Amino acid sequence: MAFIDYYKILGIDKNTTDAEIKKAYRKLARKYHPDLNPNDKEAEQKFKEINEANEVLSHPENRKKYDQYGADWKHSEEFEKSRQHQQSRSTNQQGGFDGFSGSGNYSDFFESMFGGRSTGGRSRTARSKGGDFNAELHLDLKDVYTTHKRELTINGKKIRLTIPAGVENGQVIKISGMGGEGLHDGPKGDLYITFTIENRTKFKLEKQNLYSNVDLDLYSSILGGEITVDTFDGKVKLKVMPGTQNGTKVKLKGKGFPMYKKEGVFGDLYITYQIVIPKNISEKEKELFEKLAKLKTT
């Protein structure tokens, strides 16, 4: 089995932190993504290598195994079991078993152990699951307000993905069988997609509740009336009570964001009124305000 230097693929070294690994992966994944390099076989292969390297190095346990066993990191558990078995037998055998201090290397040992050869003439094969792949999907907040389908290209393969309404920023979903090829007819690995949700709307989102500020003119705040306000999926009319104060909050039930995988269930929308004081009033308006002021003092 040829050794693949995952650190070299990502352009980092063994002292690189987890955060730096993630940063390096994102940078290279964007650069070599098939959508940005159509019909470029070299970029496609590079993209596969980058995902494979990230799958190993971004998981602490996998990284530890890789640092210790190199190309054969996937079989570290089988190796440890075999080594313990050999060591227990060595007490009854001359010379014993001393790991890899003699000729050969890890790959030679694993090839004889799992590749169909053995010194005793018996044949053994072990099925091993393929490595997992990781990908990121960038969406706008408006995209995840409703359930919709989207076609993605992952490692040169097109995947039609149903994205449920209400998926959250940083949420990870798993697609079984879309990872790396297994060893000796073993099952394929899985694909993990991390969602990055960007909010370019005027609404603030907390859990499933939305928040927004609405300007209210002075006259409506004093006299009351009816105004039209924006919600996430359209406009609604709202009654304003006379004497509404600056900072007054109003809840619109069920006008928030959808809850993940809960059909028809929504959070609430909270509106905060901000009273707008008129500027550049006319002489007539000024005269009327002065009369009102006198009325309040009498």
Side-chain angles (χ1 to χ4, degrees):
M1 184 183 294
F3 176 72
I4 302 174
D5 191 339
Y6 292 136
Y7 289 101
K8 186 176 180 180
I9 288 174
L10 294 182
I12 55 179
D13 57 43
K14 288 190 175 183
N15 297 319
T16 302
T17 65
D18 292 342
E20 290 170 333
I21 290 175
K22 187 175 183 179
K23 182 178 180 181
Y25 164 71
R26 286 181 173 178
K27 181 179 179 180
L28 292 172
R30 291 191 185 99
K31 180 179 179 181
Y32 292 101
H33 197 283
D35 289 347
L36 300 178
N37 301 274
N39 302 319
D40 188 334
K41 295 298 182 182
E42 185 176 345
E44 180 180 330
Q45 180 60 34
K46 187 70 175 177
F47 188 73
K48 289 181 180 180
E49 293 175 354
I50 291 166
N51 274 285
E52 184 178 342
N54 182 66
E55 182 274 323
V56 177
L57 300 183
S58 63
H59 293 74
E61 188 63 29
N62 288 348
R63 184 180 180 184
K64 181 180 178 181
K65 293 176 181 178
Y66 174 76
D67 287 344
Q68 184 174 359
Y69 298 105
D72 301 301
W73 69 273
K74 291 182 182 178
H75 310 296
S76 59
E77 293 182 6
E78 290 90 338
F79 163 69
E80 289 297 335
K81 290 178 182 179
S82 177
R83 185 174 66 173
Q84 291 172 9
H85 176 67
Q86 292 286 355
Q87 286 176 330
S88 65
R89 292 178 57 194
S90 67
T91 56
N92 298 319
Q93 297 176 357
Q94 185 177 2
F97 177 77
D98 59 356
F100 298 101
S101 59
S103 61
N105 54 38
Y106 286 155
S107 294
D108 293 336
F109 175 80
F110 280 104
E111 185 177 358
S112 65
M113 185 173 173
F114 302 109
R117 300 182 312 176
S118 68
T119 55
R122 293 173 296 176
S123 176
R124 296 180 60 185
T125 57
R127 299 172 72 245
S128 178
K129 182 180 178 181
D132 296 331
F133 288 162
N134 294 274
E136 288 188 26
L137 180 58
H138 292 256
L139 298 171
D140 189 88
L141 190 62
K142 292 181 178 180
D143 295 331
V144 294
Y145 186 74
T146 56
T147 298
H148 68 284
K149 295 183 182 296
R150 181 164 296 212
E151 190 174 84
L152 309 177
T153 302
I154 306 293
N155 291 340
K157 297 180 181 178
K158 292 189 179 298
I159 301 173
R160 191 163 179 78
L161 178 67
T162 298
I163 301 175
V167 65
E168 297 181 1
N169 183 50
Q171 188 170 340
V172 180
I173 65 169
K174 169 185 169 184
I175 303 178
S176 300
M178 291 303 298
E181 296 290 337
L183 182 66
H184 299 305
D185 296 323
K188 289 184 177 180
D190 303 317
L191 169 64
Y192 291 87
I193 298 179
T194 301
F195 289 92
T196 299
I197 313 297
E198 297 182 41
N199 185 2
R200 298 188 181 92
T201 73
K202 67 178 183 179
F203 298 94
K204 179 182 178 183
L205 176 65
E206 290 184 3
K207 297 297 184 181
Q208 280 72 43
N209 293 327
L210 293 169
Y211 299 83
S212 72
N213 296 324
V214 171
D215 289 340
L216 188 65
D217 67 81
L218 179 63
Y219 310 107
S220 295
S221 69
I222 295 173
L223 302 174
E226 189 177 77
I227 62 172
T228 301
V229 299
D230 291 322
T231 67
F232 206 88
D233 63 344
K235 296 180 181 293
V236 298
K237 289 184 177 181
L238 195 61
K239 287 186 177 180
V240 178
M241 298 298 294
T244 296
Q245 301 296 306
N246 186 56
T248 297
K249 288 182 171 59
V250 178
K251 181 174 81 170
L252 301 184
K253 189 172 179 61
K255 285 296 182 178
F257 215 69
M259 293 191 177
Y260 181 68
K261 287 193 174 180
K262 290 187 177 181
E263 189 70 28
V265 180
F266 291 77
D268 302 319
L269 169 61
Y270 292 86
I271 289 176
T272 301
Y273 288 129
Q274 294 183 330
I275 310 300
V276 179
I277 304 300
K279 297 179 180 179
N280 302 319
I281 60 176
S282 67
E283 287 299 322
K284 183 63 177 178
E285 288 175 317
K286 183 178 180 181
E287 182 182 333
L288 291 173
F289 275 116
E290 287 173 345
K291 288 182 179 180
L292 286 172
K294 289 178 180 180
L295 287 174
K296 293 292 291 184
T297 56
T298 58

